Amino acid sequence: MKVSLNWIKDFVEIEHTPAEVADMLTMAGLEVEGLEHRGYGLETIIVSRILDILPHPNADRLAVCKIDAGNKEVSVVCGAPNIEQGMIVPLALPGTELPDGNKIKETTIRGEKSYGMLLAEDEMGLTDDHTGIMVLPENLTPGEPISASMDLEDWIFEIGITPNRIDCASVIGVAREIGARTKTPVIMPDIRFEVSNKQIDDLAEVSIVDPDGCPRYSAGLAEAVAIAPSPFWMRYRLHTCGIRAINNVVDITNYVLLELGQPLHAFDYYEVADRKIVVQRATVGDLFTTLDGQDRDLNDQTLMICDGQRQVAIAGIMGGLNSEITENTNTVLIESAYFSPTSIRRSSKWLGLSTEASYRFERGIDPEGTVFALKRSLALIARLAGGMVAQGIIDCYPKPWSAPEISLRINKVNEFLGITIEKKAIADHLVSLNMQVADTGENLLAVKPPSYRGDVTREADLFEEVARLVGYDSIPVTIPPIKPTEEEQPDLVLRDRCKILLAGLGFTEIITYSFVSPQSADFLGAHEKSDLRAFVKLRNPLSQEQSVMRTSLIPGLLSTVRLNTVRGQSDLRIFEWGKAYIQGAEELPHERNFLAVLLTGLSTLQTWNRSPRAFDFYDIKGVVENILEDLGIPDPEYARTGPKEGFDTDEFAQVFSSGTVIGSLGKAAKDTLEKYQLEKDVYILELDIDALLPLVVWVKQFTPLAKYPAVRRDISVIVGRTFESAALIKIIKGMGKGLIESVDVFDVYEGKQIDPSEKALAIRMSYRSSKRTLTDDEVNTIHEEMIGEIRRRTGGRLRDGPPQPR
């Protein structure tokens, strides 16, 4: 939320610098996220008067203005349509640099000299109005700097409002906080106005059919209203706070919204059928056109404002096109209501429509503030639009609000904060927040919070209020005693080990939302009964794109690749550790921990001495081997047991250890990549951490360096082309009698020298004993037995000639 320092100063005296005020608010719990200096640097823009307007001799759309610049008379060429003789206007002298960077200089335009430039409001960065030259008040003196004459310099605070502090989503709310911190009284806005001889009860009526959805509805009426642009001071304040000016009546409702935090709505009185307002719920199938011209489908939970014949506004969210304020409006009915936060929140989510009004209503505004805000708006309408305000107001309030009484124990306050504060000091702090405080005992205070503090309902809330006013920076930092657990949680230890390892391999960790779209299963090509479709559905999702809990981490990885790719980063090594949620027959879903790793783009960039290389299947296989080796899980097995959703059928394998499936890896399916609009190949590893945990070797043991030499043997075995090398390595290790130190496949040959249905695997074996030096006879005996077993179990044969590494 943006709020003006000058506006705050209307209600509370401030002697601190803007930076000090920002720090004060932050320490009070209202984090100032930004501080913007506005209306400065305008010293060379002066007040001037148009003495005469002459047609430009060489341009039909331009005029030559004779300008009184205070100490001299100058000529300025101008093409604005609204200039008139005698008008007071801003003049930028030569040398002025405008907020957009343009520098004004004396120049000649179509043969006529122009000494400077007459400015519109947007050219000075004051508002977004560019309809014509800015018209200044007639009481200003030519030659004066405009910044000094109109008090334009201001500071804009951008404040992060927490959901429980909606009372601070207004200028007066921020002023109250500053007043409480500085113990300075807050002055409320002027709500005085004259009334006509007409009674509002004779002109309009209000009926609340749904008091649960609308506990209070106040209304006022003003006749003889002249719709026109708002004065500059109001448009300037609205603009600095991010609100676009429309006309004086609509601007007044927005102004009061920002000033007091009470949303208002103005109806064209003569567009309200039967001069009657009815607050009731819509029915299923109703269609309503809002002010933005959009047709909205309503449900039976949507609270509506109706007249005697039709719906005219969605309560607390947006008005209707059928009763908006137009240039022909001369009588306005002002609504100031309190709507149920739950009702507005549900309707806003249902409609997918969030406004400044709904933002406040759904968090709970001040139920006692409707009448004051209504009178403030009527006072401004009388002052700025010439309105004649009808006598009285309509105030339907079936169940008036009553303040809760909270008992506050002084010793508990001090115990909670860890400091000692006197009872009187605590009472003074609470009184400065407009709370009613009564002394009810030696250790007790009875406290009643004001109506706008709906977040204060219990003793702990009062602890926080005292802490805020004492100052969080005044409370000493202490570390609470924590009893360490006897054993570390294995999954957390494993998580940290994997993160450190992957970071060392050049990977970046990502964290994605657990809420995903139901389309995530479609994108992975999941069949109808797949676990990927066993979603846990959210009852009140933020959007359709985040309406279910994820059943896999892969969609989050692919979405991240898509996000990075459109920003020009397509070479990625990323991973995520997180939970997947599978809804089973039980009420609660199954939660499983997964580690998902992704590679895409180039593994090696092109340099002067090497060519670029893209990631492939063996890169992602190397990642899983690194992880499992670090975890003490040797010799994983890989098998293609069938297609898996989201993976390419040709480049895919499941990972096994001790007969247990612990993960899957491979290339992402082409259809999946197309759904995510990805062109480059993507390789993914998904490890089931819950299946992996029982296999982890938690204590690493040192293996002494070998004392005895190794004996190496190479063989080349011709086997069927579909035969997997892992099976051959398993046979070799099984026949090694504990003397096989390593087995490596160093070459694969498929060519003219052998049958097309065959391949030759060149394998290097290293024999070593930890107790003695092996003899050639020992190795040869084992080696021959091994070759025989290979022939018997694979149907293969040795290839002629010694294998040579290629």
Side-chain angles (χ1 to χ4, degrees):
M1 183 194 76
K2 293 183 177 181
V3 62
S4 154
L5 180 59
N6 286 348
W7 200 348
I8 296 171
K9 288 180 177 179
D10 286 351
F11 309 119
V12 64
E13 185 177 341
I14 298 175
E15 297 179 352
H16 299 76
T17 66
E20 289 171 341
V21 174
D23 183 62
M24 181 191 307
L25 290 172
T26 299
M27 295 312 299
L30 303 180
E31 183 181 1
V32 177
E33 299 172 341
L35 184 59
E36 181 185 2
H37 199 183
R38 297 294 296 268
Y40 71 100
L42 305 178
E43 293 78 9
T44 54
I45 300 175
I46 64 170
V47 177
S48 68
R49 183 189 300 274
I50 300 177
L51 299 175
D52 197 6
I53 302 174
L54 303 174
H56 195 292
N58 302 316
D60 294 337
R61 296 185 179 182
L62 298 178
V64 180
C65 301
K66 300 300 181 181
I67 303 294
D68 176 6
N71 57 357
K72 60 182 175 180
E73 183 178 316
V74 298
S75 293
V76 177
V77 176
C78 181
N82 68 323
I83 53 174
E84 296 178 4
Q85 187 175 348
M87 184 181 288
I88 304 294
V89 294
L91 170 65
L93 298 173
T96 299
E97 185 172 343
L98 299 179
D100 63 0
N102 286 330
K103 196 167 185 177
I104 306 301
K105 57 184 178 180
E106 187 175 357
T107 186
T108 300
I109 302 175
R110 298 284 187 92
E112 293 291 323
K113 286 189 176 182
S114 183
Y115 187 81
M117 178 179 174
L118 303 183
L119 299 174
E121 293 174 6
D122 67 331
E123 291 169 327
M124 293 181 283
L126 302 179
T127 73
D128 58 359
D129 185 9
H130 194 72
T131 56
I133 298 302
M134 180 181 183
V135 181
L136 302 178
E138 294 185 1
N139 61 345
L140 299 185
T141 304
E144 293 180 343
I146 186 175
S147 56
S149 301
M150 298 189 66
D151 194 24
L152 295 176
E153 188 169 3
D154 199 359
W155 290 86
I156 308 302
F157 299 101
E158 186 162 359
I159 302 175
I161 305 295
T162 54
N164 64 314
R165 292 306 308 274
I166 195 62
D167 63 294
C168 291
S170 64
V171 176
I172 202 71
V174 176
R176 287 193 195 107
E177 287 295 307
I178 295 173
R181 291 278 293 187
T182 61
K183 300 300 183 285
T184 305
V186 174
I187 302 169
M188 295 300 289
D190 184 12
I191 59 171
R192 295 171 296 176
F193 54 87
E194 294 184 0
V195 297
S196 68
N197 56 6
K198 294 183 180 180
Q199 293 284 340
I200 191 172
D201 290 338
D202 298 331
L203 301 172
E205 65 174 297
V206 173
S207 173
I208 301 177
V209 177
D210 184 4
D212 292 330
C214 179
R216 189 174 193 181
Y217 193 101
S218 307
L221 188 140
E223 299 178 296
V225 171
I227 302 298
S230 299
F232 169 74
W233 64 266
M234 177 173 283
R235 290 185 289 108
Y236 183 43
R237 284 187 170 179
L238 290 175
H239 180 72
T240 58
C241 295
I243 301 292
R244 181 174 61 90
I246 298 175
N247 59 53
N248 50 3
V249 170
V250 175
D251 292 350
I252 285 168
T253 61
N254 287 329
Y255 187 85
V256 174
L257 166 73
L258 295 176
E259 185 175 70
L260 300 176
Q262 170 67 53
L264 304 174
H265 187 68
F267 297 100
D268 186 324
Y269 173 71
Y270 289 107
E271 294 296 331
V272 177
D274 302 333
R275 314 297 180 254
K276 181 178 183 180
I277 292 292
V278 180
V279 186
Q280 61 187 17
R281 294 192 185 274
T283 56
V284 176
D286 284 354
L287 197 66
F288 181 71
T289 305
T290 46
L291 281 170
D292 57 2
Q294 299 294 314
D295 291 334
R296 310 285 180 177
D297 291 316
L298 310 178
N299 63 10
D300 56 3
Q301 297 299 307
T302 307
L303 193 66
M304 300 298 294
I305 308 300
C306 308
D307 60 16
Q309 300 175 13
R310 58 185 179 168
Q311 299 162 336
V312 293
I314 302 176
I317 300 177
M318 186 177 284
L321 204 59
N322 54 14
S323 60
E324 70 172 331
I325 302 299
T326 68
E327 59 184 10
N328 299 318
T329 299
N330 59 26
T331 303
V332 295
L333 181 70
I334 304 295
E335 164 194 290
S336 180
Y338 176 84
F339 298 114
S340 163
T342 302
S343 173
I344 302 303
R345 189 159 49 246
R346 286 175 178 169
S347 296
S348 178
K349 297 300 182 188
W350 168 265
L351 297 168
L353 180 61
S354 180
T355 61
E356 289 283 347
S358 68
Y359 170 79
R360 288 163 173 80
F361 277 125
E362 65 189 28
R363 286 162 175 78
I365 63 167
D366 180 7
E368 295 289 290
T370 62
V371 172
F372 186 91
L374 176 61
K375 290 181 177 179
R376 174 62 169 160
S377 68
L378 293 173
L380 289 171
I381 288 173
R383 172 184 163 192
L384 303 179
M388 295 296 295
V389 180
Q391 292 185 38
I393 59 171
I394 298 173
D395 188 21
C396 294
Y397 198 7
K399 298 178 182 179
W401 176 85
S402 60
E405 184 172 301
I406 306 169
S407 294
L408 179 64
R409 295 166 290 178
I410 304 303
N411 64 326
K412 286 294 182 182
V413 175
N414 292 323
E415 180 183 325
F416 182 81
L417 299 183
I419 56 177
T420 301
I421 312 174
E422 296 295 328
K423 184 179 184 180
K424 184 179 184 306
I426 292 175
D428 290 343
H429 285 315
L430 296 176
V431 168
S432 71
L433 292 169
N434 292 332
M435 297 188 183
Q436 298 177 31
V437 181
D439 191 336
T440 55
E442 181 179 350
N443 187 48
L444 281 178
L445 293 175
V447 182
K448 290 185 177 182
S451 56
Y452 54 80
R453 291 302 304 272
D455 61 310
V456 179
T457 58
R458 54 183 183 159
E459 187 180 35
D461 297 328
L462 296 176
F463 295 168
E464 182 180 354
E465 295 306 301
V466 174
R468 290 194 313 108
L469 293 186
V470 168
Y472 293 124
D473 51 344
S474 300
I475 299 173
V477 176
T478 57
I479 300 175
I482 301 175
K483 183 179 180 181
T485 56
E486 294 182 1
E487 294 183 3
E488 293 181 299
Q489 293 180 265
D491 58 329
L492 299 183
V493 176
L494 180 59
R495 179 195 65 187
D496 292 342
R497 283 178 62 173
C498 289
K499 286 184 178 183
I500 292 170
L501 174 65
L502 288 168
L505 293 173
F507 284 83
T508 299
E509 181 182 8
I510 66 168
I511 300 174
T512 62
Y513 286 113
S514 296
F515 307 149
V516 297
S517 167
Q519 279 190 322
S520 61
D522 298 331
F523 285 7
L524 294 180
H527 58 78
E528 199 62 36
K529 294 184 179 180
S530 170
D531 280 350
L532 293 176
R533 295 190 183 276
F535 292 117
V536 178
K537 298 180 180 179
L538 303 184
R539 291 181 179 175
N540 189 24
L542 296 172
S543 67
Q544 182 64 21
E545 294 302 310
Q546 295 182 315
S547 60
V548 297
M549 303 291 284
R550 66 187 177 194
T551 51
S552 170
L553 272 61
I554 294 175
L557 290 175
L558 292 173
S559 296
T560 301
V561 174
R562 167 62 183 161
L563 185 66
N564 280 268
T565 299
V566 297
R567 286 163 173 76
Q569 178 57 268
S570 56
D571 302 326
L572 297 173
R573 306 178 189 210
I574 57 176
F575 74 93
E576 181 173 16
W577 180 291
K579 290 181 180 292
Y581 306 85
I582 309 296
Q583 184 65 65
E586 300 84 359
E587 181 179 0
L588 295 177
H590 300 292
E591 297 183 29
R592 295 190 70 83
N593 287 299
F594 285 92
L595 171 62
V597 183
L598 181 145
L599 294 170
T600 185
L602 294 178
S603 167
T604 304
L605 299 177
Q606 182 172 3
T607 63
W608 68 272
N609 62 347
R610 64 183 180 187
S611 300
R613 185 183 75 82
F615 287 114
D616 59 24
F617 178 85
Y618 296 101
D619 288 302
I620 198 70
K621 181 171 177 282
V623 173
V624 70
E625 288 173 348
N626 271 280
I627 293 173
L628 297 181
E629 181 182 356
D630 185 72
L631 300 180
I633 304 175
D635 303 326
E637 298 177 4
Y638 304 91
R640 284 189 287 184
T641 57
K644 182 176 172 64
E645 295 98 331
F647 286 92
D648 185 279
T649 53
D650 293 328
E651 294 188 53
F652 163 74
Q654 285 190 307
V655 188
F656 292 81
S657 181
S658 302
T660 301
V661 179
I662 58 175
S664 304
L665 75 156
K667 184 166 74 173
K670 183 178 180 181
D671 290 345
T672 297
L673 295 180
E674 288 177 352
K675 295 286 177 57
Y676 285 96
Q677 302 177 28
L678 300 176
E679 297 179 357
K680 292 187 176 182
D681 288 341
V682 171
Y683 293 89
I684 299 170
L685 162 66
E686 188 177 54
L687 286 178
D688 185 340
I689 300 304
D690 294 338
L692 192 66
L693 268 173
L695 307 175
V696 175
V697 177
W698 298 104
V699 179
K700 292 187 176 182
Q701 293 184 342
F702 172 72
T703 302
L705 297 176
K707 295 180 180 180
Y708 304 100
V711 179
R712 293 179 175 83
R713 294 283 190 273
D714 293 348
I715 62 171
S716 181
V717 181
I718 297 176
V719 293
R721 181 168 288 198
T722 59
F723 190 84
E724 295 180 354
S725 60
L728 186 58
I729 292 173
K730 187 176 181 180
I731 294 171
I732 293 172
K733 288 185 175 180
M735 293 296 295
K737 299 181 180 180
L739 298 178
I740 295 289
E741 183 180 55
S742 64
V743 182
D744 297 299
V745 178
F746 65 84
D747 191 28
V748 179
Y749 174 77
E750 295 173 350
K752 296 180 180 180
Q753 298 181 25
I754 59 177
D755 191 275
S757 63
E758 295 178 323
K759 64 182 176 184
L761 300 175
I763 299 173
R764 174 163 295 152
M765 293 156 282
S766 177
Y767 296 84
R768 192 194 303 265
S769 170
S770 61
K771 299 178 181 179
R772 66 186 188 283
T773 299
L774 296 176
T775 65
D776 284 341
D777 291 341
E778 284 182 284
V779 173
N780 291 339
T781 299
I782 298 172
H783 199 65
E784 291 302 322
E785 291 176 355
M786 181 187 302
I787 292 172
E789 186 68 12
I790 290 173
R791 288 192 176 110
R792 186 181 69 80
R793 293 175 59 178
T794 68
R797 66 186 187 280
L798 292 184
R799 186 182 177 193
D800 294 336
Q804 299 293 327
R806 289 188 296 175

Coordinates of all heavy atoms in Angstrom, one line a residue, residues 44-46 48 76 90-98 104-105 115-119 124:
T44 N 13.0 25.0 -11.1 CA 13.1 25.9 -12.2 C 11.8 26.0 -13.0 O 11.8 26.6 -14.1 CB 14.3 25.5 -13.2 OG1 14.1 24.1 -13.5 CG2 15.6 25.7 -12.5
I45 N 10.8 25.4 -12.5 CA 9.4 25.5 -13.1 C 8.7 26.5 -12.2 O 8.5 26.4 -11.0 CB 8.6 24.2 -13.0 CG1 9.4 23.1 -13.9 CG2 7.2 24.4 -13.6 CD1 8.8 21.7 -13.8
I46 N 8.3 27.6 -12.9 CA 7.7 28.8 -12.1 C 6.2 29.0 -12.5 O 5.7 28.5 -13.4 CB 8.5 30.1 -12.4 CG1 8.4 30.4 -13.9 CG2 10.0 29.9 -12.0 CD1 8.9 31.8 -14.2
S48 N 3.4 31.3 -13.9 CA 3.3 32.3 -14.9 C 1.9 32.6 -15.2 O 1.0 31.8 -14.9 CB 4.1 31.9 -16.1 OG 3.5 30.8 -16.8
V76 N 6.2 32.1 -25.6 CA 6.2 30.7 -25.5 C 5.3 30.1 -26.6 O 4.1 30.5 -26.6 CB 5.9 30.1 -24.2 CG1 5.9 28.5 -24.2 CG2 6.9 30.6 -23.1
P90 N 2.0 26.7 -15.3 CA 3.4 26.4 -15.0 C 4.3 26.6 -16.2 O 4.0 26.2 -17.3 CB 3.4 25.0 -14.5 CG 2.3 24.3 -15.2 CD 1.2 25.4 -15.4
L91 N 5.4 27.3 -16.0 CA 6.4 27.5 -17.1 C 7.7 26.9 -16.7 O 8.3 27.2 -15.7 CB 6.5 29.0 -17.3 CG 7.7 29.5 -18.3 CD1 7.4 29.0 -19.7 CD2 7.8 31.0 -18.2
A92 N 8.2 26.0 -17.6 CA 9.5 25.5 -17.4 C 10.5 26.3 -18.1 O 10.5 26.5 -19.4 CB 9.6 24.0 -18.0
L93 N 11.4 26.9 -17.4 CA 12.4 27.8 -17.9 C 13.5 27.0 -18.7 O 13.7 25.8 -18.4 CB 13.1 28.7 -16.8 CG 12.1 29.6 -16.0 CD1 12.8 30.2 -14.9 CD2 11.5 30.6 -17.0
P94 N 14.2 27.7 -19.6 CA 15.4 27.0 -20.3 C 16.3 26.4 -19.2 O 16.7 27.1 -18.3 CB 16.0 28.1 -21.1 CG 14.8 29.0 -21.4 CD 14.0 29.0 -20.2
G95 N 16.8 25.2 -19.4 CA 17.7 24.5 -18.5 C 17.0 23.5 -17.6 O 17.6 22.7 -16.9
T96 N 15.7 23.6 -17.6 CA 14.9 22.7 -16.7 C 15.0 21.2 -17.3 O 14.8 21.0 -18.5 CB 13.4 23.1 -16.7 OG1 13.3 24.4 -16.1 CG2 12.6 22.1 -15.8
E97 N 15.2 20.3 -16.4 CA 15.2 18.9 -16.8 C 13.9 18.3 -16.2 O 13.7 18.2 -15.0 CB 16.4 18.1 -16.3 CG 16.5 16.7 -16.8 CD 17.8 16.0 -16.5 OE1 18.8 16.7 -16.2 OE2 17.8 14.8 -16.5
L98 N 13.1 17.8 -17.1 CA 11.8 17.2 -16.6 C 12.0 15.8 -16.1 O 13.0 15.1 -16.4 CB 10.8 17.2 -17.8 CG 10.5 18.5 -18.4 CD1 9.5 18.4 -19.6 CD2 9.9 19.5 -17.4
I104 N 14.7 21.2 -21.2 CA 14.0 22.4 -21.9 C 15.1 23.4 -22.2 O 16.0 23.7 -21.4 CB 13.0 23.0 -21.0 CG1 11.9 22.0 -20.5 CG2 12.3 24.2 -21.7 CD1 11.2 21.3 -21.6
K105 N 15.0 23.9 -23.4 CA 15.9 25.0 -23.9 C 15.2 26.0 -24.7 O 14.1 25.7 -25.3 CB 17.1 24.4 -24.7 CG 16.7 23.6 -25.9 CD 17.9 22.9 -26.5 CE 17.4 22.1 -27.7 NZ 18.6 21.4 -28.4
Y115 N 10.5 30.7 -25.4 CA 11.4 30.8 -24.2 C 10.8 29.8 -23.1 O 10.1 30.2 -22.3 CB 11.5 32.2 -23.7 CG 12.5 32.4 -22.5 CD1 13.8 32.6 -22.8 CD2 12.0 32.4 -21.2 CE1 14.7 32.8 -21.8 CE2 12.9 32.6 -20.2 CZ 14.3 32.8 -20.4 OH 15.2 32.9 -19.4
G116 N 11.2 28.6 -23.3 CA 10.7 27.6 -22.3 C 9.5 26.8 -22.8 O 9.2 26.8 -24.0
M117 N 8.7 26.3 -21.9 CA 7.6 25.4 -22.2 C 6.5 25.4 -21.2 O 6.8 25.3 -20.0 CB 8.1 24.0 -22.4 CG 7.1 22.9 -22.8 SD 7.8 21.3 -23.0 CE 6.4 20.3 -23.2
L118 N 5.2 25.6 -21.6 CA 4.1 25.5 -20.7 C 3.8 24.0 -20.5 O 3.8 23.2 -21.5 CB 2.9 26.2 -21.2 CG 3.1 27.7 -21.5 CD1 1.7 28.3 -22.0 CD2 3.6 28.4 -20.3
L119 N 3.5 23.6 -19.3 CA 3.5 22.1 -18.9 C 2.2 21.6 -18.6 O 1.4 22.3 -17.9 CB 4.5 21.8 -17.8 CG 6.0 22.2 -18.1 CD1 6.8 22.0 -16.8 CD2 6.5 21.3 -19.2
M124 N 5.2 17.0 -15.5 CA 5.9 17.3 -14.3 C 5.9 16.1 -13.3 O 6.4 16.1 -12.2 CB 5.3 18.5 -13.6 CG 5.5 19.8 -14.4 SD 4.8 21.2 -13.5 CE 3.1 21.0 -13.8

